[in-house]
């Protein structure tokens, strides 16, 4: 009986977050780790956008780089606005597919 109570108390996945959070905090105290994590996140977010602009610039020569950047960023904003409701409300995407 006591074994079942202890097992059922530790069973929820919400308690699994606590050791992961502690491990994350410990890793961030190591010098340089937080800076490298920030650099990787910045590279992941900025690199695809920069590649899109560079490819567009090599294909279309008569449009300025500023205009291309504005167009790509506008597309990115619209893409985020369209995908955000589907990510926030997963049942909405299931409803749209079943329709």
């Amino acid at each position: 009986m006591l074994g079942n109570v202890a097992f059922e108390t530790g069973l929820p996945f919400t308690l699994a977050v606590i050791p992961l959070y502690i491990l994350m905090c410990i890793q961030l105290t190591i010098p340089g780790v937080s800076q490298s994590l920030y650099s990787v996140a910045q590279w992941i977010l900025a690199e695809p956008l920069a590649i899109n602009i560079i490819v567009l610039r090599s294909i279309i020569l008569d449009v300025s780089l500023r205009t291309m950047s504005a167009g790509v960023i506008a597309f990115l904003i619209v893409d985020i606005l369209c995908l955000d409701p589907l990510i926030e409300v997963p049942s909405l995407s299931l409803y749209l597919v079943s329709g």
Side-chain angles (χ1 to χ4, degrees), residues 71-91:
V72 170
I73 290 177
F75 174 77
L76 184 65
I77 290 171
V78 169
D79 201 26
I80 289 171
L81 290 176
C82 290
L83 288 176
D84 188 47
L86 297 176
I87 292 170
E88 295 295 326
V89 185
S91 59

Side-chain angles (χ1 to χ4, degrees), residues 54-97:
I54 291 170
V55 169
L56 281 174
R57 182 67 179 146
S58 66
I59 294 171
I60 307 169
L61 300 174
D62 59 340
V63 178
S64 70
L65 191 59
R66 185 178 198 154
T67 306
M68 282 187 196
S69 300
V72 170
I73 290 177
F75 174 77
L76 184 65
I77 290 171
V78 169
D79 201 26
I80 289 171
L81 290 176
C82 290
L83 288 176
D84 188 47
L86 297 176
I87 292 170
E88 295 295 326
V89 185
S91 59
L92 180 64
S93 61
L94 294 175
Y95 173 76
L96 291 173
V97 172

Side-chain angles (χ1 to χ4, degrees), residues 28 32-50 76:
L28 288 178
V33 171
S34 59
Q35 179 63 33
S36 62
L37 287 175
Y38 178 76
S39 298
V40 167
Q42 185 180 13
W43 179 81
I44 287 172
L45 293 174
E47 192 66 27
L49 185 63
L76 184 65

